[in-house]
Amino acid sequence: MARKLRKKRVFFLVLILCLIIFSIVGQCVSCGGKTEEKKKTVSRTHLNDTLRNNMSDSPDLEEMETTLKRYFERWELNGAQIAVSRNDSLIYAKGFGWADKERGLEMQPNYVMRLASVSKLLTAVGIMKLVENHVLKLSDRVFGPQGILNDTVFTNVIKDPRYFDITVEQLLRHKAGFNNRAGDPMFSTRYIMMQNRLTTPPDNKTLMRILLKRRLGYTPGTMKHYSNVGYTLLSMIIEKKTKMTYENFMRKFVFEPAGCYDFHIAGNYYKDRRGNEVKYYMHKGSEPVYEYNNSGRMVEKCYGENDIPRLVGAGAWCASAAELSRFIASIDLLPGVPDILSKESVMYMTKEMPDHDYCLGWNYCAKGKPWIRTGSLSGTSALVLRYPDGECWILITNTSTWKGHGFSNDTMRLFEKLRQKYGPKMPKRNLFFG
């Protein structure tokens, strides 16, 4: 009997010891899991946190930089950024002139600037992400009971039945029927307020309700006309389909997967700028204008003429040339940076269109020539050229030019000369990864 009791005691002691050991092991595994989880949540180094002008210094490129400085002086630009990538490696990123002349801040490659209509390319990528995830189709109707924006506040005011034929793809290609014969609605806030007796600037839902009462300028799909309204509607479609704000969706599902962490919706005034955002300047001879909100105040065009945040996906983003270069690397089918879109989506976006029609997000993508995306607002110009040989050249400025699209065309010619002469002298490195 005593022997049986001893055996039972030994058994229970061994059992307790095993339980203690399993508990300790479990805690260790748990700690290891937490450590792994912490490792996953530690944010990687962001590109704009690392870049400085001296990182692109090279004796072989001094002559090129002298050419660029003279070019910027000729165009009376206060500041500009250049970013050059090759085969998904950032090989050059530099600032020229002033980020904020009055404060004595020289332009650096990590400052952010308004991208103007380059924002449309970003929005198009957001739409293609939703297409790939089967959230919507390019053939989906925009308005009407079966449309995406099927709220009665929209459908009840439509008198022109052609609105019900507009598709998502027509918005992307500027073929939805909108024109600017009465002025671009996205840049006519003050007049719209006066015409509709509004005491505050309309949000986009109110603006669209006003615009949808008008007849379309042409039957959707029959011609093209560059439209900021179309890309504003695309931003609203993203919000409707995702139940997220446009900005949050783009940040979480487009920019962060692309390795871009410093894209922001721009503000209207100097006081609204980000900590690393530049000051914007108008060209010489620019006259003050009435403030967009019908206050009666006279303001500098780049700070108050337009309600920039309301442009959302049509023209409100700001970023650095270097991070924009990183974004392009994520939608170009090259293996260096993982693409955030499928091969089929990228090819469809960049397919050359007949009759010089617009590509999806890009301006033009002619075979054997660079994919082109331009943008301009009061106080800024932006140009993206992604060449067939894998190079991408980007320019962003913080100053308006006096020649409109002539500046982009002139810069395209300059880039081609610089590529031919200095391309072989570019250092072999990748500033994307320090």
Side-chain angles (χ1 to χ4, degrees), residues 221-240:
T222 61
M223 57 184 292
K224 62 177 182 289
H225 196 288
Y226 193 83
S227 171
N228 287 301
V229 170
Y231 273 76
T232 304
L233 284 168
L234 288 167
S235 308
M236 297 171 70
I237 286 171
I238 288 174
E239 292 189 331
K240 179 70 179 291

Side-chain angles (χ1 to χ4, degrees), residues 51-99:
L51 292 176
R52 296 297 182 272
N53 275 336
N54 58 10
M55 296 176 69
S56 287
D57 286 344
S58 170
D60 294 333
L61 300 178
E62 287 179 358
E63 188 178 49
M64 181 187 83
E65 291 177 354
T66 299
T67 301
L68 284 166
K69 288 174 184 175
R70 288 174 180 165
Y71 181 75
F72 298 146
E73 287 172 4
R74 177 161 67 85
W75 281 93
E76 300 175 353
L77 303 180
N78 283 279
Q81 286 177 351
I82 296 280
V84 180
S85 64
R86 178 182 294 152
N87 297 326
D88 281 6
S89 294
L90 182 63
I91 57 178
Y92 184 84
K94 201 155 192 178
F96 295 83
W98 299 101

Side-chain angles (χ1 to χ4, degrees), residues 14 30 71-72 82 183 197 225 310 332 347 390 392 426 433:
V14 171
S30 176
Y71 181 75
F72 298 146
I82 296 280
R197 298 179 182 179
H225 196 288
R310 192 168 53 83
D332 66 355
M347 291 181 68
C392 180
M426 289 281 182
F433 302 105

Side-chain angles (χ1 to χ4, degrees), residues 33-290:
K34 286 180 181 176
T35 302
E36 284 302 310
E37 191 175 325
K38 283 181 182 177
K39 284 181 182 177
K40 288 179 183 178
T41 57
V42 171
S43 60
R44 73 177 89 173
T45 302
H46 297 174
L47 183 60
N48 281 350
D49 292 338
T50 65
L51 292 176
R52 296 297 182 272
N53 275 336
N54 58 10
M55 296 176 69
S56 287
D57 286 344
S58 170
D60 294 333
L61 300 178
E62 287 179 358
E63 188 178 49
M64 181 187 83
E65 291 177 354
T66 299
T67 301
L68 284 166
K69 288 174 184 175
R70 288 174 180 165
Y71 181 75
F72 298 146
E73 287 172 4
R74 177 161 67 85
W75 281 93
E76 300 175 353
L77 303 180
N78 283 279
Q81 286 177 351
I82 296 280
V84 180
S85 64
R86 178 182 294 152
N87 297 326
D88 281 6
S89 294
L90 182 63
I91 57 178
Y92 184 84
K94 201 155 192 178
F96 295 83
W98 299 101
D100 192 327
K101 193 172 184 179
E102 289 69 24
R103 294 172 61 201
L105 294 179
E106 294 184 355
M107 184 69 78
Q108 293 285 340
N110 62 325
Y111 284 118
V112 299
M113 287 183 270
R114 294 170 181 168
L115 299 180
S117 284
V118 173
S119 302
K120 292 181 175 67
L121 174 58
L122 316 181
T123 302
V125 172
I127 289 290
M128 295 307 290
K129 288 288 286 185
L130 295 182
V131 171
E132 288 188 356
N133 291 332
H134 309 290
V135 176
L136 57 75
K137 299 190 291 291
L138 294 179
S139 59
D140 282 349
R141 295 289 194 270
V142 176
F143 297 110
Q146 306 306 315
I148 300 169
L149 302 179
N150 56 6
D151 306 36
T152 55
V153 293
F154 297 139
T155 56
N156 287 354
V157 299
I158 291 175
K159 297 181 176 63
D160 186 340
R162 293 178 297 175
Y163 276 105
F164 300 125
D165 296 326
I166 296 174
T167 66
V168 172
E169 184 161 359
Q170 287 169 348
L171 292 178
L172 287 164
R173 296 196 187 278
H174 302 277
K175 302 187 76 170
F178 300 107
N179 61 28
N180 299 327
R181 287 175 189 165
D184 189 328
M186 304 311 298
F187 296 107
S188 306
T189 304
R190 195 169 67 90
Y191 298 105
I192 289 172
M193 287 179 66
M194 290 189 288
Q195 291 166 358
N196 294 274
R197 298 179 182 179
L198 302 177
T199 56
T200 57
D203 60 19
N204 282 332
K205 196 168 187 178
T206 302
L207 176 65
M208 293 305 163
R209 194 164 63 243
I210 292 170
L211 297 181
L212 291 174
K213 296 176 183 178
R214 305 176 180 177
R215 283 184 57 80
L216 284 171
Y218 57 91
T219 299
T222 61
M223 57 184 292
K224 62 177 182 289
H225 196 288
Y226 193 83
S227 171
N228 287 301
V229 170
Y231 273 76
T232 304
L233 284 168
L234 288 167
S235 308
M236 297 171 70
I237 286 171
I238 288 174
E239 292 189 331
K240 179 70 179 291
K241 282 293 187 177
T242 64
K243 296 180 172 55
M244 298 174 67
T245 67
Y246 165 78
E247 183 176 8
N248 286 344
F249 167 81
M250 292 294 292
R251 182 168 289 116
K252 184 174 181 179
F253 294 103
V254 177
F255 299 134
E256 290 182 6
C260 300
Y261 299 90
D262 207 5
F263 278 70
H264 308 282
I265 295 293
N268 284 328
Y269 303 102
Y270 181 71
K271 65 180 177 62
D272 299 328
R273 71 194 186 287
R274 295 271 167 176
N276 63 333
E277 188 173 356
V278 303
K279 181 177 181 179
Y280 303 101
Y281 298 89
M282 295 304 300
H283 56 272
K284 290 180 181 177
S286 175
E287 297 290 336
V289 295
Y290 284 108

